[in-house]
Structure formats: structure tokens, C-alpha cells
């Protein structure tokens, strides 16, 4: 990673923050004025020395203040004003830079999150949640830390070099050249260390993402870890990830820490040149004593702050490594675009058609091939087949989590890719095998799709999903917290809440993706009774492994290797004596009974 790459990242950040241009300019101006006030006392010290030595012949006397007493009083007033001005502008630049840091970090995090929400599901299938959290949290915070202090330091280093250099060349061009001799070495050293440190900090950011991902996965899977008594093994894996992060930081720190000792020697060279050559010139009378004092004091003002370049560059490199990751995330292209032109025609009848649909996942090659299926409005379609056959892929295509490579998916004869995503997904209620409940109350989760729903509507949906019975037994009823991902509820209770959530949405199309595969017989029976009530007048698409749950479906499609190999109602498929019939015999025990006989 080169300095050019880091400054390109800075340019990208400035383009992103163009709405804050006035704020940035104001903060920069306050930093500049503060630094000018900061170096002024050294000049006043030299002027004071000149007053004490030369009195009526001093520089201040030339301004109309003849007596030494008047001159000292004038310098005292100027010192007060300068210190007051420095304090005022320090307050202003801190307020401006810190508020800018807070505003930018909030906007970056929000924009990144909103952009991630618009990305297609394929993006999430190829990314770890820990990495995304690290970018939206840790990387954004890293940038905030730089804007809090590092940006001001960079501005003030430049101002120091320019302002002090101007004073030097006015007082003594020769000493100015001597004092400035180490600066090219210091700047070269700064960029040399920056080039060395840049790739190391990029690696640090990657290690942070991996560590966050490991923590996130382990905390989510803590029950599995405990059940397999794998605590020690997982602790060791986390230790290795943590050590990798420490090692990456150690390599970066080794480079950045070497900067100051090397640069100190270059600074000493410039200071000794000013100290000795300027002293000799003052002794010969070639240089005013007060000017000599100004030069000695300003040499330190000029050179010593440059040692802070190490810390500034450290912050800068960390921030730019983070900025690249944030802005690269924001630049991730959206594959499934919201057409935004056509609303799904109302009222939605719910007729669904897959017309020659083909789609393959890039990573695995799995998917569907030339699928033709039609579900009339108010009918039920059941999809059966082995795991990985393509059943869930059809649901993802219906919801436009992906777009098909060939063919079309239509609702009420409108291609889904021509519809706004909001109107499309509002028409579909999804109940998945992997139920996700949000941290909050039972009420919050049921009303997730309709936050404005009344309590009566929430209760009605819960009754229809046969969830009201157990809700009434909870300590706080509808207001009972469910815990993170619903951990305080059983699997069957979570599934019934998921169904109630979909029912409250009252969608014309209801999709059940293995909704009863992970529940007990009682819960399955309850869900089946619910489906029998809510299926009337509603299009239902079911994915099921238990064939007993779909015998009443109007149409059953058997999917194998991404293709529809059989279709028909339950009785028709049994009569065909094909794959469905064979699976039915296995599940009902007919084969086992025959073998026993």
C-alpha cells in the first residue's frame, strides 16, 4: 500500500463528505488561527529580549512606544490577547472537528447499513457477519478517532512549517536554510515509515474483522459449543485469532515506533545549527539579540512538532485503511435493483407463475433449471425434494432475493423484476424454518410487519396461529421479552409467533419454507389447523419434507437437481409410482412393514 493509495482514500472521503465542506473549512481555519497564535509567544519573547537589551532603540520603540516600561506593558497586553485568542480558537477547532467526527461517523455507519440492506442475498452468502459488523463499527470508530485529533494535527504541522519558515527567512535567510535542512529528511522519513506501515495496518483491519467474526459465530453457537464440550477448543481458536491480531499490530507498532528516535537526530542537527551559527552571528553583531532569541525558540517550535508526525501518520494510516473498507462496502454494486416504476396492481389476486426460470449460484453451481410452474390465485402449491434440489431457490427468486438468469417470475401476470421491491414483498408473507425473532417483546415480534396494528389485531393473529394459548401463560403476556433471537421461547413457540407475524401482515401470498420441520407433533398439528383456516382465498406455497403435511395441496411439484420431475395432486402422484410415491412409502412405513413381513 503506497502513500498515493492513502491519499486516494482521503480524496474519496472528502468527496463523500462534500456536504460538510463549510464545516471542514471552518474547522481548518480555526486550526490555522490557533497555531498562528500558538507560535506568537515565542516571537514576543524575542521582542521582549530586544526591549530589555536595546530599550529606546528596540523594534517596539519604532512603533511609537518610547519608554521601555511602555514597551513591556504593550507586550504584556499583546501576550494576554494572544493567549486568549489561542484558547478561543482551540475551543472552536475542538468543537468543530469533534462534531464533524461525530456527524461523519454517524452518517457513514447509517449509509453503510442502509446500503447493505439493499444488497442482494448473494452478497450475504459470501460475507461473514463479523466482518460487516467490524466495518460498520470498528472501522467507522477508527476514522472518528483520526478526525477527533489527527486531522487538526496534520493542519497545524503544515501551518507551523509555513509560518515559522516565513519568520526565519525574514530574520536570517542563512539560519533559515540551516534550520530547514533536516525537514526534507524528516518528511522523507515520515513517508518512508508510512509506506512500510500502510500494508501492516491494512492487515490489522483484516485481523479485526476475523476476530469479530469468530466472536460473533461463537456467541451465536454457544449452545452447540457447550453440548459438544468444545469450550477449550473454541477458546484456543479465539486465542489464535486474537494473537494474529496482536501480531499484526506488533509489526505495525515496530515500524511506527522507530520513527521518533530516527527523526530526533535530524531535529538535533537543525537545532544545533541555529543555536551555534545564530549565536556566533549575534556575538559579531550581525544578528539582533532579540532575533537570535526568536530563532532559537522557533527552531524548537518548527522541528519538535514534526516528531508528532509519527503519531499523526499512525492515526492517518489506520483511518485510511478503515476508510477504504467503509467506502468499498458503500461501493459494492447492488445486483437486484429496485425498479421503482410499477406498483403491484391492487387488489393482489396472488397468482404466481415461474416461466422457464433458470438460476445458478456462482459458488456452488446449484440452483434451478428451466422451471415452469403455475399457482392459480387461492390455490396451494407444495414443493418437495431432497435438500439442495432447488426448492428454496424458487422462493428466493419469487421474493427477488436473486434475479433469474433466464425466464421470468410473475405475480398476477406482472414480472416481479418490473415491480417495486416494497409492493412485491408486501404481498408475500414468509414463514421460514429458521425463525428469526428480534430482541423485544412478543407483541413487537408479531407486529413487526405492521407496527401500527392494534392489540386486537395482534391477538387475532396470535389466535389464528394457535399461539395465544401459550402467550397467555407467559409472565407478561404480549409484553414478555423474547430474548436475543427468541432464546427464551421454545422452538415451537417461536414458529407459531413467526406464523402469527406473517398472518398479521395479511399477505395474499403465504410462503412456508419448511415451517413445520423442526417442531413437535403437537405444534405441527396446530400449524396445520391454522393453515387450513387461513389458506382459503390465499395463495400458499409450501416447502416440506414431511409429505403428510401437504396431502391436501392442490398441486405438488417434485424437484430434483433443480428440475421439476413430477407434478400433480397427492393421489395423482401416488398413481404414477414415481419418486413421490417411493418417498411416501418410506415415510408412512410401508417399506418397513413389507421388510418385516
Amino acid at each position: 500500500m503506497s502513500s498515493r493509495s492513502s491519499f486516494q482514500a482521503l480524496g474519496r472521503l472528502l468527496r463523500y463528505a462534500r456536504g460538510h465542506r463549510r464545516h471542514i473549512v471552518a474547522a481548518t481555519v480555526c486550526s490555522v488561527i490557533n497555531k498562528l497564535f500558538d507560535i506568537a509567544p515565542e516571537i514576543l519573547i524575542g521582542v521582549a529580549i530586544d526591549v530589555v537589551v536595546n530599550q529606546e532603540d528596540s523594534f517596539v520603540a519604532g512603533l511609537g512606544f518610547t519608554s521601555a516600561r511602555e514597551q513591556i506593558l504593550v507586550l504584556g497586553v499583546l501576550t494576554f490577547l494572544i493567549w486568549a485568542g489561542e484558547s478561543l480558537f482551540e475551543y472552536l477547532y475542538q468543537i468543530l472537528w469533534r462534531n464533524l467526527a461525530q456527524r461523519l461517523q454517524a452518517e457513514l455507519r447509517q449509509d453503510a447499513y442502509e446500503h447493505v440492506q439493499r444488497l442482494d442475498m448473494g452478497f450475504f452468502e459470501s460475507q461473514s457477519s463479523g466482518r460487516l459488523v467490524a466495518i460498520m463499527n470498528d472501522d467507522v470508530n477508527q476514522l472518528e478517532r483520526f478526525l477527533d485529533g489527527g486531522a487538526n494535527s496534520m493542519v497545524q504541522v503544515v501551518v507551523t512549517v509555513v509560518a515559522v519558515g516565513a519568520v526565519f527567512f525574514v530574520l536570517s535567510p542563512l539560519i533559515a536554510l540551516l534550520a530547514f535542512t533536516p525537514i526534507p529528511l524528516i518528511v522523507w522519513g515520515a513517508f518512508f515509515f508510512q509506506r512500510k506501515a500502510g500494508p501492516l495496518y491494512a492487515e490489522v483491519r483484516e485481523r479485526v474483522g476475523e476476530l469479530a467474526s469468530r466472536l460473533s459465530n461463537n456467541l451465536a453457537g454457544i449452545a452447540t459449543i457447550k453440548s459438544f464440550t468444545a469450550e477449550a477448543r473454541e477458546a484456543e481458536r479465539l486465542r489464535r485469532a486474537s494473537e494474529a491480531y496482536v501480531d499484526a499490530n506488533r509489526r505495525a507498532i515496530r515500524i511506527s515506533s522507530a520513527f521518533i528516535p530516527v527523526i530526533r537526530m535530524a531535529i538535533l542537527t537543525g537545532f544545533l545549527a541555529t543555536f551555534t551559527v545564530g549565536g556566533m552571528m549575534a556575538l559579531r553583531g550581525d544578528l539582533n539579540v532579540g532575533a537570535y532569541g526568536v530563532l532559537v525558540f522557533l527552531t524548537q517550535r518548527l522541528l519538535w512538532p514534526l516528531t508528532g508526525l509519527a503519531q499523526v501518520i499512525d492515526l492517518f494510516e489506520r483511518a485510511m485503511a478503515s476508510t477504504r473498507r467503509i467506502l468499498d462496502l458503500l461501493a459494492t454494486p447492488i445486483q437486484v435493483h429496485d425498479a421503482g416504476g410499477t406498483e403491484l396492481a391492487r387488489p393482489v389476486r396472488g397468482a404466481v407463475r415461474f416461466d422457464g426460470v433458470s438460476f445458478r449460484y456462482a459458488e456452488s453451481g446449484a440452483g434451478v433449471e428451466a422451471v415452469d410452474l403455475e399457482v392459480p390465485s387461492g390455490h396451494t402449491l407444495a414443493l418437495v425434494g431432497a435438500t439442495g434440489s432447488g426448492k428454496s431457490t424458487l422462493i428466493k427468486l419469487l421474493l427477488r432475493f436473486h434475479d433469474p438468469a433466464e425466464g421470468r417470475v410473475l405475480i398476477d401476470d406482472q414480472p416481479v423484476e418490473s415491480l417495486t421491491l416494497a409492493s412485491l414483498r408486501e404481498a408475500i408473507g414468509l414463514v421460514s424454518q429458521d425463525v428469526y425473532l428480534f430482541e423485544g417483546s412478543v407483541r413487537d415480534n408479531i407486529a413487526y410487519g405492521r407496527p401500527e396494528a392494534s392489540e386486537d389485531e395482534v391477538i387475532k393473529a396470535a389466535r389464528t396461529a394457535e399461539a395465544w394459548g401459550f402467550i397467555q401463560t407467559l409472565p407478561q403476556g404480549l409484553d414478555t421479552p423474547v430474548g436475543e433471537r427468541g432464546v427464551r421461547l421454545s422452538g415451537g413457540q417461536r414458529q407459531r409467533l413467526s406464523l402469527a407475524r406473517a398472518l398479521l401482515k395479511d399477505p395474499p401470498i403465504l410462503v412456508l419454507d419448511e415451517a413445520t420441520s423442526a417442531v413437535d407433533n403437537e405444534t405441527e398439528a396446530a400449524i396445520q389447523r391454522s393453515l387450513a383456516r387461513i389458506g382459503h382465498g390465499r395463495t400458499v406455497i409450501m416447502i416440506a419434507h414431511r409429505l403428510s403435511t401437504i396431502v391436501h395441496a392442490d398441486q405438488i411439484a417434485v424437484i430434483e437437481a433443480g428440475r421439476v420431475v413430477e407434478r400433480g395432486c397427492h393421489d395423482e402422484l401416488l398413481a404414477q409410482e414415481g419418486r413421490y410415491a417411493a418417498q411416501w412409502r418410506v415415510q408412512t412405513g410401508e417399506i418397513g412393514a413389507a421388510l418385516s413381513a
Side-chain angles (χ1 to χ4, degrees):
M1 186 185 309
S2 65
S3 57
R4 180 182 177 185
S5 175
S6 295
F7 284 110
Q8 285 174 341
L10 179 61
R12 293 173 65 189
L13 178 63
L14 291 174
R15 287 192 294 275
Y16 172 84
R18 58 184 175 273
H20 298 283
R21 195 165 294 163
R22 290 184 178 179
H23 197 145
I24 295 171
V25 169
T28 303
V29 168
C30 288
S31 293
V32 170
I33 295 174
N34 168 262
K35 180 49 64 175
L36 293 176
F37 276 126
D38 182 49
I39 63 178
E42 276 72 13
I43 297 176
L44 289 182
I45 290 172
V47 173
I49 294 173
D50 180 49
V51 168
V52 171
V53 173
N54 297 312
Q55 300 188 18
E56 285 78 8
D57 296 325
S58 69
F59 169 76
V60 179
L63 300 176
F65 301 97
T66 55
S67 74
R69 186 179 300 274
E70 285 181 334
Q71 295 172 34
I72 291 296
L73 289 175
V74 167
L75 292 178
V77 171
L78 283 176
T79 300
F80 173 80
L81 293 176
I82 287 170
W83 278 70
E86 180 187 359
S87 299
L88 172 64
F89 282 97
E90 181 174 0
Y91 169 78
L92 292 176
Y93 83 63
Q94 288 199 26
I95 288 289
L96 290 169
W97 281 120
R98 289 182 178 181
N99 284 339
L100 175 66
Q102 293 301 314
R103 187 74 263 142
L104 265 183
Q105 64 93 12
E107 290 179 5
L108 274 169
R109 183 179 290 112
Q110 188 68 28
D111 288 348
Y113 175 73
E114 291 182 6
H115 181 73
V116 165
Q117 283 194 132
R118 292 192 294 270
L119 293 173
D120 57 286
M121 293 303 295
F123 170 81
F124 295 96
E125 291 161 2
S126 63
Q127 297 285 331
S128 73
S129 59
R131 178 178 182 274
L132 296 177
V133 169
I135 291 174
M136 288 186 278
N137 189 49
D138 195 64
D139 282 327
V140 170
N141 290 341
Q142 187 67 55
L143 177 59
E144 177 196 355
R145 284 191 286 272
F146 168 70
L147 291 174
D148 263 345
N152 170 71
S153 297
M154 290 184 72
V155 170
Q156 293 200 334
V157 164
V158 173
V159 173
T160 298
V161 172
V162 172
V164 173
V167 174
F168 265 60
F169 277 99
V170 168
L171 295 178
S172 174
L174 172 61
I175 294 180
L177 289 174
L178 293 173
F180 271 71
T181 298
I183 289 182
L185 175 61
I186 294 171
V187 173
W188 174 86
F191 284 103
F192 171 80
F193 282 104
Q194 181 265 329
R195 285 195 299 272
K196 294 290 186 181
L200 299 178
Y201 282 125
E203 184 184 356
V204 168
R205 305 317 312 150
E206 289 301 320
R207 298 291 85 78
V208 166
E210 291 172 6
L211 184 58
S213 180
R214 172 65 56 197
L215 283 167
S216 176
N217 288 337
N218 282 15
L219 292 175
I222 192 65
T224 303
I225 292 172
K226 286 178 175 294
S227 68
F228 283 91
T229 61
E231 292 93 338
R233 185 165 70 250
E234 290 301 332
E236 175 60 23
R237 293 173 70 180
L238 179 64
R239 188 194 64 77
R240 288 199 297 269
S242 184
E243 283 299 318
Y245 171 58
V246 170
D247 288 342
N249 253 315
R250 185 182 294 120
R251 288 190 291 273
I253 290 169
R254 187 183 302 124
I255 292 295
S256 63
S257 297
F259 177 76
I260 290 180
V262 172
I263 298 307
R264 283 173 69 95
M265 299 312 297
I267 291 172
L268 177 62
T269 302
F271 178 75
L272 287 176
T274 304
F275 184 79
T276 54
V277 175
M280 295 298 180
M281 292 175 66
L283 290 173
R284 293 196 305 268
D286 295 335
L287 182 66
N288 182 284
V289 174
Y292 174 62
V294 170
L295 292 174
V296 170
F297 284 118
L298 284 185
T299 300
Q300 296 188 68
R301 277 291 186 183
L302 172 68
L303 298 177
W304 282 112
L306 293 179
T307 61
L309 277 177
Q311 184 177 5
V312 173
I313 288 175
D314 185 79
L315 280 172
F316 179 71
E317 275 306 318
R318 288 177 182 268
M320 291 307 102
S322 294
T323 296
R324 273 187 294 273
R325 283 159 54 93
I326 299 165
L327 296 180
D328 285 348
L329 178 61
L330 280 168
T332 303
I334 298 172
Q335 302 297 332
V336 177
H337 292 279
D338 192 347
T342 307
E343 296 285 323
L344 185 57
R346 307 288 178 170
V348 180
R349 294 180 290 108
V352 176
R353 178 155 55 96
F354 297 91
D355 186 7
V357 170
S358 297
F359 173 82
R360 294 287 175 186
Y361 296 100
E363 293 79 8
S364 65
V368 293
E369 188 73 29
V371 171
D372 291 300
L373 284 173
E374 185 169 356
V375 192
S377 173
H379 285 63
T380 298
L381 167 68
L383 302 174
V384 300
T387 300
S389 60
K391 306 182 299 298
S392 294
T393 298
L394 291 175
I395 302 304
K396 292 177 181 178
L397 294 173
L398 174 63
L399 285 159
R400 277 203 80 200
F401 290 165
H402 303 282
D403 281 332
E406 296 177 12
R408 298 187 304 169
V409 182
L410 303 100
I411 296 179
D412 294 346
D413 295 322
Q414 291 182 264
V416 296
E417 68 269 16
S418 69
L419 303 173
T420 62
L421 290 175
S423 67
L424 166 66
R425 292 170 183 169
E426 283 172 2
I428 303 171
L430 174 64
V431 182
S432 177
Q433 174 186 4
D434 183 18
V435 176
Y436 192 97
L437 297 183
F438 294 90
E439 191 165 9
S441 67
V442 170
R443 185 198 311 273
D444 294 338
N445 276 279
I446 294 178
Y448 188 75
R450 282 183 56 201
E452 75 286 355
S454 67
E455 181 162 331
D456 287 342
E457 290 174 315
V458 171
I459 292 174
K460 181 181 177 181
R463 288 185 187 279
T464 306
E466 298 209 13
W468 184 240
F470 83 80
I471 291 174
Q472 288 180 299
T473 67
L474 296 175
Q476 302 172 53
L478 284 171
D479 296 316
T480 302
V482 301
E484 188 176 4
R485 295 180 64 94
V487 295
R488 298 182 183 178
L489 303 178
S490 69
Q493 289 172 335
R494 291 196 295 270
Q495 194 66 265
R496 294 190 209 189
L497 288 189
S498 177
L499 181 57
R501 178 167 61 190
L503 295 179
L504 183 61
K505 185 180 178 183
D506 193 26
I509 302 170
L510 183 63
V511 175
L512 305 170
D513 188 355
E514 302 280 9
T516 62
S517 64
V519 298
D520 54 51
N521 291 334
E522 179 185 350
T523 302
E524 180 184 351
I527 292 175
Q528 290 303 316
R529 289 193 298 270
S530 301
L531 293 177
R533 288 194 297 270
I534 66 177
H536 298 294
R538 194 189 309 268
T539 302
V540 179
I541 300 178
M542 306 173 63
I543 294 177
H545 277 118
R546 298 181 186 177
L547 301 186
S548 59
T549 64
I550 60 167
V551 294
H552 299 298
D554 299 301
Q555 182 183 183
I556 300 170
V558 181
I559 313 292
E560 188 174 283
R563 294 180 177 272
V564 178
V565 295
E566 293 179 5
R567 77 180 72 191
C569 68
H570 174 72
D571 292 334
E572 290 170 345
L573 291 175
L574 288 181
Q576 290 180 22
E577 289 292 330
R579 294 174 175 83
Y580 181 86
Q583 189 174 350
W584 174 261
R585 286 194 294 270
V586 170
Q587 290 194 11
T588 57
E590 292 182 19
I591 290 180
L595 290 173
S596 299

